[in-house]
Amino acid sequence: MTAIDVVEFEINNEHYALDIGLTREIVEMVQITPVPRAPAHIAGIINLRGEITNIINLNNILGLPEKDGKDIEEHKIIVLVPDAAEGSIVGIIVDAVHSVLQISEKDIEQIDGGLSNEAYVKGIIKIDEKDSENQESDKGERKRLIIWLDISQLLQDLLASTR
Amino acid sequence: MTDEDSYRKLFVAESIENHETIVNNILVLEEGSDDNAIDEIFRAAHTLKGMSASMGYMQMEHLCHKMEDVFHCIRNGEIGITQELTDIFLACTDRIEEMIEDIESGGDSSSIEAEDLVEKLKNYETNGGEEETYLPETEDTDSDYESIISGANSEDIRESTESEDPSQEHPISENPVIPKIQKYIIKIEIADDCNMKDIRALIVLQNLEELGHIVSSKPTSEEIDEGIIEDKLEIIIESDSGEEALKSAASITDIKSVLIEPVGEDITEKTPEYRLFITIEPECGMKDVRAMIVIQNLEKLGNIISTSPSLEEIDSGEIKDSFEVILSSEEPESKIQNNAYGTEIKGVKIEPYNPELPSKEQITPEVLKSTETTEEISAPEPEIQLEEFEPGDLKKKDIKPLDGEKETPNRDKNKDSSKKREVKNLRVDISRLDQMMNLVEDLVINGGRLKQIAKEHQIKEMDEALNMVSRSISDLQNLTMYIRMIPLNHIFNRFPRVVRDVAHHDGKEVEFIMTGGETELDRSVIDGLGDPLLHLIRNGVNHGIETPDVRIAAGKDPKGTVTLSAFRDQGNVVIQLSDDGKGISRKTVLRKAIEKGLLSEDEAENLPDEEVPGLLFLPGFSTAEVITDISGRGVGLDVVKSAIESLKGSIKVKSVEGEGSTFTLTLPPTMAIIEVMMVRINNRRCAIPINAVVEVAKINLDNINRIGKSEGILLRDEVLQLHRLDEMFGQAQPSGIIVILQYQGSKCCIPVDVVEGQQEIVVKPVSNIIGTCPGVGGVTIPGDGDVVPILDVNTMII
C-alpha cells in the first residue's frame, strides 16, 4: 500500500492538504506588496531572501470568503518549489499549517465530476480523529475530512490563463 | 560528472570557439586575401585537429587536417581563393559543426562522414600544388613572416605530400634551405587553474611529436598519462622546424608560458654564481621554516645549485644557526642579499663562487625557474619570450620579494601574466548566476538591516565597519549584474554567414555591415533575440534587396547594402536593421492584405501610408511571390513580432518604396540596472524609470482644471494632462507634488505623495503566473528589502 505525505493546513476552519513534494518551505506572514492591475487571485509579491515570490490568494480561487484582516499576523505562507509554476516561485496564504501527514491510499476518497474540477480537489482524505477528547464519545469512529488540493493543476491553469 | 564528461564539455566549448574563428575568417578571405585571416584559420584548424585527435574523434581530425593542408597551399600562394573553394570550406565547417553538436549531445561524431569533403579538398590541394613549384622553403628569403609559416608547417607539407604524391617528396628532402636538425629544450608552464593538466600536456607532446623527435620529456608521457604532472613540463626535442614552429605547436589553451632554447650553448655557464652564508637568530624557534623561506625567496632570483645542509635535511628540521646556499643568478649581489634577509635572519654574507657546473642540473625544475627570470633580464639572449613577459610583470616579480611578502608561495608569481594569455570561456548555468544574484541582493538587504541596528544602538565602530562591508557588497552586486551581460556579438557573429548564404542562393550581391556588436544585453534577452533577428536578416536579403540587374536598372549600386546596428538609447537597447533594397510596396502589401482577407478594399484605400508596413506583422502574411526555403512561409514577421514582445521589446518598420526599409527593435534589458525615481503614491512605493521623468514640480491644487473628462494643469505656459493612477495605486495624497513624464512622445504628469529619491535598481520581470499587468514594467527589490513595482509609463494609462 502506498503512503502519501501531505502537508495539512487550514483556511477558514476547513482543513486542506497538498503534496509535500510541492512545498519548499513555510514562512511567517510578511507585508505583501500588491501588484497594480494584477488579477484578483494574486495577493501580491514578497521578497523572500532576494527572490521575488508571487503570493496567491487561495480564498479567491476556491471561492471562499476573503480573510477578514484579524489574526493576519498568525497566517503563514507556504512557498512552493519553483518547478511547480515553470520556474516562478509561488507562495500561498493559509490560516495555519498543521502537520505533515502520512496517509495511505485507502483513506483517500476520489471525487469525480464537477467538484474536483472546479475546486481543484484531488481527493478527500478521511482520517480518524486522534484528539483524546473525542475518543470517548464516538469510540474512534469520528473521522475528519481533509480536502486534498490539486495545486499543480491549479498553477497550470493560472499559467495558462495568463497566456 | 565523470572525467570523460568534463573533457567533452571543454572540448565542445573550445571547438565552438575555434569553429567560429574559422568561419568568420573564411568570410574575410572571401573579400580578398588577408594574411591575418589565413593565420587565424590555420591556428584554429590546427588546434581543432590536435584536440579532436586527442579525444579520438578521428573524422574531425581528418577533415581539419586536410583543411589545414589546403590553407597551407593558399598561404603559400599556390592556390587562389575562389568562390568554389570557399563554398567547400564552408561546407567543411558545417560538417565540423555537425560533429561538434553530435559530440555535445553525447555521440562520438563517428557517424558523420567527412570523406567526401576530404576528397574535394584533396583535389584542390593536388591541383594547386602541381601548378606551381612546390618549394615553400625557397620563398622565405625576404620575409620573416613567411619563414615562420613554412617552418611551422613543414610537417604538414611533408605529410600531405607523402600521402598523395611521393614524387613531390624530393623538393622537400633535397631542399638545401631546410634548417638543420637542432636539439631544443622546451619548458612549458601550464596554467595553475587548468584542471586537466595531463590532457593539456599530452596535447602539447602530441603537437610537438609532429614536428620532430622527442628525445625525452619530464614528466614522461607515461607519467602524464597516469596523471602525474604538476604545472611544469619539460621536453627535449630534436627538430628541424625552427623555434617559432615549436613554440606555436606548444602554445595551446591553458599553457601559461613556453620557453624554448636550443641546446648546445650553455646559458647557465654565463650566469654568475654566489655563495651565501646565512645565519639565523639563535633563539629562533622555527629555523627550518625560516631557512626554507629564504631559499624560496632566493629561488625567485635564480637557480639554487646546492644548499648545505641539503633541502631534505632542512625540511626534516636538521638545521643549526647557519646554512649555506650556492645560487646562480644574474641579479646584482645587493639584491640577492636583500632577498635573503627575512624575519629572524641575523646575517647574510655573499661571495662569488666558481665551481664546475654539474650538467645534470639543466633539466631540474629549479633551472627552469632560473632561466625564466634570468632571461627576462638579459634581453639580447636568443630565447623566444612570449609576449606576457613584459617589463611590467618583470617588475612586479622583482618587487614582490622586497615587499616583505616572503611567505608568498612560488607559484603565485606568474598569476598576473597568466591572465593575459588565456581567452577563458567560462560556461556557467544561468540559474547559478541567478542564485548568486539573489544571494548578493540578500546580502545587501541584510547589510542594510545591520546598519540600522548599528544606528539604533549608536555603535560607531560597527557602523564604520559596516560601511566597508557595504562597499564591497555593492561592488559585488554590480559585478554579478555585469557578469550576466554579454555583448550582442554573441549572436551577431553568425549573421555574415547567413547573409552570404542567402545572397548567393538568390544570386544577389550584398554588403553586410555590422556596428555596435559590443553593446551588452542580459543573457536571457540575447538568447531570445537570435532567431527573430536571423529571420529579419534573411527577410531583408531575400525580400528587400533586388537582384543586380534590377538594381542597375533602378540606378543603384548593383551591390546592395544591409546594415545591422545596435546602440544604447536611454535605458533601452536599440537594434536597427536597414537595407537599401526595394522597400515595402504599398500596392503589393495592400493587395495581399485584401487577398488574405485581412482588410476590406475600403479600409485599404484609406489606410495611411505609415500604417502599411504594420500589416506585415499580421499573422499569415507573406509578400514573397515564391516561397523559398530561406524565408517566407507566411509565418514570418508575426512570429518575429511576438518573439520580440515576449522579451518586452517592440518592433517598428519604416520603409520608403524604392529606397529600402528599416526595422527598429527596442529592447529593455530585462536584468538591466536602471536608474529610477522612487515615489510614493497613496503611501505605496513605486519606481519610475528616470529616463521617463522630465521633472518634478510642486503645484497649487487649485490650479487643476477640468478639460472635458480629463484634467490638466498649466505649468510655465504649458498645458499638461494630469493622469491620476488611482486605479493602480489608490488615490494619492493631496501633496501638490507632481512628476512630469515623457509619455508617448508628449508630456503628462501624475500626482504623487512624495518623491523619495533616485537610485539604481535591478529590474526583475513580473512572473508569468501574474501575467502582464499594464503599467507595470517589472518589479524590483531596493536596498531596504522592500518589493516595489516599476511603472511602465507607456502603458500606464488604459
Side-chain angles (χ1 to χ4, degrees):
Chain A
M1 184 157 348
T2 40
I4 301 158
D5 283 329
V6 294
V7 180
E8 183 193 357
F9 57 92
E10 191 181 317
I11 302 176
N12 269 15
N13 301 322
E14 288 291 342
H15 288 251
Y16 295 89
L18 69 89
D19 303 38
I20 200 161
L22 284 173
T23 52
R24 195 178 79 175
E25 60 187 307
I26 292 156
V27 294
E28 298 291 326
M29 195 65 183
V30 291
Q31 177 76 43
I32 298 177
T33 307
V35 180
R37 293 185 183 141
H41 58 260
I42 301 291
I45 45 183
I46 61 164
N47 167 17
L48 183 62
R49 291 190 303 277
E51 285 174 322
I52 301 275
T53 306
N54 308 282
I55 307 300
I56 289 178
N57 181 350
L58 264 190
N59 295 43
N60 180 284
I61 295 171
L62 300 179
L64 305 170
E66 288 300 316
K67 296 188 170 58
D68 49 8
K70 67 171 183 192
D71 295 340
I72 199 105
E73 260 130 61
E74 301 295 306
H75 292 173
K76 301 271 190 294
I77 296 172
I78 301 180
V79 181
L80 307 178
V81 291
D83 289 345
E86 296 178 3
S88 297
I89 302 170
V90 171
I92 53 179
I93 311 174
V94 300
D95 292 355
V97 177
H98 289 292
S99 58
V100 175
L101 293 177
Q102 198 165 54
I103 49 169
S104 58
E105 247 170 25
K106 71 168 170 45
D107 292 332
I108 300 168
E109 188 153 317
Q110 299 294 338
I111 291 195
D112 295 320
L115 190 56
S116 69
N117 286 338
E118 248 170 64
Y120 298 102
V121 178
K122 214 168 173 179
I124 304 286
I125 302 165
K126 298 170 291 184
I127 48 171
D128 298 331
E129 192 65 74
K130 286 179 215 128
D131 286 352
S132 50
E133 49 197 270
N134 297 326
Q135 213 172 34
E136 298 292 312
S137 52
D138 286 305
K139 292 265 173 199
E141 281 302 300
R142 189 187 167 111
K143 295 195 170 194
R144 65 193 176 103
L145 300 182
I146 300 172
I147 303 161
W148 187 20
L149 288 178
D150 192 349
I151 293 287
S152 12
Q153 186 58 45
L154 188 152
L155 292 175
Q156 289 312 317
D157 286 3
L158 287 187
L159 283 168
S161 69
T162 61
R163 284 201 185 100
Chain B
M1 192 188 292
T2 64
D3 276 2
E4 167 78 21
D5 274 349
S6 58
Y7 292 156
R8 187 193 291 272
K9 273 199 169 162
L10 189 79
F11 172 80
V12 168
E14 275 178 16
S15 301
I16 289 173
E17 218 172 83
N18 283 316
H19 171 261
E20 234 170 53
T21 314
I22 297 179
V23 174
N24 287 336
N25 283 303
I26 289 176
L27 294 181
V28 171
L29 276 187
E30 209 180 8
E31 300 294 311
S33 188
D34 180 332
D35 286 346
N36 252 336
I38 299 177
D39 226 32
E40 283 275 293
I41 295 175
F42 216 97
R43 200 188 47 75
H46 190 81
T47 319
L48 256 185
K49 183 183 83 173
M51 290 196 314
S52 49
S54 58
M55 294 290 289
Y57 304 131
M58 295 328 284
Q59 287 287 349
M60 190 186 293
E61 191 251 332
H62 201 48
L63 185 57
C64 291
H65 186 89
K66 214 16 81 188
M67 283 175 75
E68 214 184 322
D69 288 348
V70 177
F71 268 107
H72 178 78
C73 296
I74 296 176
R75 184 145 69 174
N76 288 344
E78 288 154 22
I79 304 176
I81 298 158
T82 59
Q83 180 73 52
E84 199 188 336
L85 187 58
T86 39
D87 278 336
I88 295 176
F89 276 135
L90 288 175
C92 292
T93 57
D94 285 347
R95 198 67 56 89
I96 292 172
E97 197 178 0
E98 268 177 55
M99 291 173 179
I100 296 174
E101 270 165 20
D102 186 49
I103 291 163
E104 192 173 17
S105 60
D108 63 356
S109 81
S110 61
S111 55
I112 299 161
E113 284 288 326
E115 280 311 313
D116 51 331
L117 291 170
V118 171
E119 276 310 311
K120 277 191 197 166
L121 287 174
K122 235 180 223 174
N123 274 341
Y124 250 94
E125 192 196 4
T126 45
N127 288 345
E130 275 160 15
E131 278 161 26
E132 289 180 46
T133 37
Y134 205 89
L135 287 173
E137 265 80 9
T138 54
E139 292 172 12
D140 64 7
T141 42
D142 47 2
S143 126
D144 276 354
Y145 170 73
E146 292 259 322
S147 73
I148 295 166
I149 301 317
S150 48
N153 301 288
S154 56
E155 164 66 17
D156 297 310
I157 304 160
R158 202 159 57 228
E159 270 185 30
S160 57
T161 44
E162 269 165 16
S163 55
E164 283 136 41
D165 195 349
S167 68
Q168 287 187 351
E169 215 176 329
H170 297 285
I172 298 276
S173 50
E174 287 168 16
N175 195 323
V177 200
I178 277 187
K180 64 174 168 44
I181 291 186
Q182 167 83 40
K183 216 176 190 177
Y184 299 95
I185 295 185
I186 305 178
K187 289 159 181 173
I188 292 158
E189 263 191 89
I190 304 172
D192 292 338
D193 47 356
C194 167
N195 46 13
M196 273 167 268
K197 293 192 176 119
D198 48 344
I199 294 287
R200 293 298 175 200
L202 284 176
I203 294 176
V204 169
L205 279 180
Q206 208 169 7
N207 284 351
L208 289 174
E209 215 154 46
E210 287 178 19
L211 296 181
H213 171 64
I214 292 179
V215 181
S216 71
S217 73
K218 188 182 169 186
T220 65
S221 62
E222 288 79 25
E223 281 170 338
I224 298 171
D225 219 15
E226 287 160 25
I228 308 170
I229 180 159
E230 293 300 316
D231 42 353
K232 291 198 176 69
L233 175 67
E234 195 165 282
I235 299 159
I236 299 177
I237 187 169
E238 284 174 350
S239 167
D240 57 1
S241 305
E243 291 178 2
E244 312 268 339
L246 293 172
K247 195 180 94 180
S248 77
S251 308
I252 58 166
T253 320
D254 277 342
I255 297 300
K256 195 156 73 181
S257 71
V258 179
L259 193 71
I260 300 179
E261 44 189 81
V263 180
E265 29 176 335
D266 199 343
I267 325 132
T268 33
E269 239 168 30
K270 295 179 203 158
T271 322
E273 286 172 12
Y274 302 95
R275 188 202 292 266
L276 288 99
F277 300 99
I278 298 158
T279 37
I280 307 172
E281 297 278 358
E283 62 268 26
C284 168
M286 292 176 294
K287 287 180 188 129
D288 50 342
V289 178
R290 292 297 164 204
M292 285 311 262
I293 291 171
V294 168
I295 291 169
Q296 246 178 36
N297 286 334
L298 289 173
E299 246 175 15
K300 291 178 192 164
L301 296 182
N303 168 31
I304 292 180
I305 293 159
S306 67
T307 62
S308 153
S310 75
L311 280 175
E312 290 76 23
E313 282 165 346
I314 296 174
D315 208 23
S316 52
E318 294 168 35
I319 182 164
K320 296 264 158 18
D321 289 351
S322 70
F323 63 104
E324 197 179 306
V325 177
I326 296 171
L327 172 83
S328 84
S329 166
E330 296 217 339
E331 300 286 345
E333 282 184 28
S334 59
K335 186 158 185 192
I336 297 172
Q337 200 157 5
N338 258 338
N339 244 30
Y341 271 111
T343 324
E344 291 183 294
I345 298 297
K346 200 168 156 195
V348 177
K349 210 168 90 189
I350 186 164
E351 59 179 42
Y353 177 71
N354 264 329
E356 330 79 89
L357 187 79
S359 61
K360 67 170 171 72
E361 292 282 358
Q362 261 193 325
I363 43 171
T364 63
E366 279 84 4
V367 177
L368 172 62
K369 261 177 238 148
S370 85
T371 42
E372 240 179 82
T373 23
T374 50
E375 270 138 31
E376 278 154 34
I377 296 147
S378 53
E381 292 276 2
E383 278 71 40
I384 308 136
Q385 300 288 339
L386 282 188
E387 49 185 316
E388 68 211 47
F389 290 108
E390 282 164 15
D393 294 320
L394 176 62
K395 228 170 42 206
K396 238 178 235 165
K397 261 182 251 173
D398 284 345
I399 290 163
K400 235 183 190 166
L402 298 173
D403 277 347
E405 295 177 23
K406 307 264 179 193
E407 267 113 341
T408 314
N410 258 359
R411 57 189 159 81
D412 274 359
K413 67 175 180 179
N414 276 339
K415 252 188 187 155
D416 291 9
S417 50
S418 69
K419 271 198 189 119
K420 237 180 272 173
R421 182 167 161 69
E422 290 156 8
V423 186
K424 276 288 180 192
N425 199 346
L426 256 188
R427 307 207 136 208
V428 181
D429 194 330
I430 194 86
S431 65
R432 285 198 204 169
L433 285 183
D434 285 341
Q435 263 175 356
M436 193 167 142
M437 189 76 202
N438 286 333
L439 286 172
V440 170
E441 277 162 17
D442 218 33
L443 213 54
V444 173
I445 291 154
N446 291 326
R449 175 96 190 92
L450 273 178
K451 233 173 163 173
Q452 223 173 338
I453 294 170
K455 228 177 234 166
E456 275 167 25
H457 297 265
Q458 308 214 316
I459 314 169
K460 198 162 164 267
E461 285 91 341
M462 187 172 168
D463 204 35
E464 277 164 9
L466 278 172
N467 271 337
M468 301 292 283
V469 173
S470 54
R471 204 177 320 156
S472 310
I473 292 175
S474 85
D475 284 353
L476 187 62
Q477 192 183 12
N478 283 333
L479 194 69
T480 323
M481 264 181 276
Y482 283 115
I483 288 175
R484 291 180 50 102
M485 308 280 274
I486 51 174
L488 273 167
N489 269 334
H490 214 78
I491 47 172
F492 276 19
N493 276 343
R494 59 180 160 131
F495 294 147
R497 171 77 197 277
V498 172
V499 172
R500 178 199 173 274
D501 281 357
V502 180
H504 278 294
H505 182 273
D506 293 358
K508 291 171 182 172
E509 286 177 40
V510 179
E511 183 168 355
F512 185 54
I513 302 165
M514 292 195 302
T515 57
E518 70 286 345
T519 314
E520 288 192 327
L521 262 176
D522 189 74
R523 207 209 123 103
S524 53
V525 182
I526 296 249
D527 282 349
L529 202 56
D531 285 340
L533 262 186
L534 185 73
H535 200 99
L536 281 180
I537 288 171
R538 282 178 174 170
N539 225 48
V541 180
N542 195 223
H543 301 319
I545 302 289
E546 314 92 324
T547 46
D549 45 322
V550 176
R551 289 184 67 92
I552 292 166
K556 291 183 188 174
D557 185 343
K559 199 170 191 178
T561 310
V562 174
T563 314
L564 179 65
S565 55
F567 51 91
R568 277 191 168 272
D569 180 40
Q570 295 173 343
N572 295 327
V573 169
V574 178
I575 300 175
Q576 266 181 345
L577 179 78
S578 49
D579 62 68
D580 65 345
K582 57 177 181 264
I584 296 164
S585 148
R586 177 185 169 96
K587 236 170 77 188
T588 327
V589 169
L590 289 183
R591 201 190 67 220
K592 265 274 151 59
I594 295 164
E595 249 172 51
K596 306 257 174 190
L598 302 169
L599 274 181
S600 72
E601 291 207 26
D602 286 350
E603 281 173 323
E605 198 66 39
N606 298 322
L607 198 71
D609 273 355
E610 59 270 22
E611 282 180 32
V612 172
L615 291 174
L616 295 177
F617 294 118
L618 292 176
F621 193 98
S622 175
T623 55
E625 306 284 338
V626 188
I627 288 179
T628 65
D629 59 345
I630 288 172
S631 66
R633 279 185 204 284
V635 290
L637 289 177
D638 60 314
V639 176
V640 171
K641 191 180 183 198
S642 61
I644 299 295
E645 277 173 356
S646 73
L647 298 172
K648 305 220 189 290
S650 67
I651 181 167
K652 284 187 190 121
V653 209
K654 265 189 193 154
S655 177
V656 179
E657 206 171 334
E659 284 175 28
S661 22
T662 302
F663 289 80
T664 307
L665 280 65
T666 310
L667 294 157
T670 47
M671 261 295 284
I673 322 137
I674 60 164
E675 186 93 13
V676 294
M677 179 178 281
M678 281 286 178
V679 300
R680 274 185 192 271
I681 302 173
N682 185 27
N683 211 25
R684 281 164 66 177
R685 287 171 98 185
C686 169
I688 308 173
I690 206 78
N691 56 40
V693 177
V694 181
E695 64 171 305
V696 180
K698 186 152 170 81
I699 55 155
N700 190 335
L701 290 173
D702 299 337
N703 289 352
I704 300 175
N705 301 307
R706 290 218 71 87
I707 308 169
K709 271 186 185 169
S710 56
E711 291 171 300
I713 57 153
L714 194 67
L715 188 79
R716 291 194 294 271
D717 286 343
E718 203 176 354
V719 180
L720 297 175
Q721 201 177 355
L722 185 79
H723 292 291
R724 295 187 185 273
L725 300 177
D726 294 3
E727 176 233 345
M728 285 178 80
F729 299 97
Q731 196 171 352
Q733 288 161 13
S735 62
I737 298 172
I738 54 165
V739 179
I740 297 144
L741 301 171
Q742 194 75 37
Y743 166 66
Q744 291 179 354
S746 64
K747 285 184 196 170
C748 73
C749 58
I750 55 169
V752 299
D753 303 354
V754 68
V755 173
E756 284 187 341
Q758 210 167 307
Q759 67 182 101
E760 279 198 331
I761 49 130
V762 186
V763 184
K764 299 197 173 196
V766 179
S767 157
N768 46 4
I769 196 118
I770 297 180
T772 44
C773 305
V776 182
V779 287
T780 187
I781 302 177
D784 54 14
D786 206 357
V787 192
V788 178
I790 301 163
L791 188 71
D792 181 359
V793 175
N794 283 327
T795 56
M796 67 181 182
I797 295 149
I798 45 172

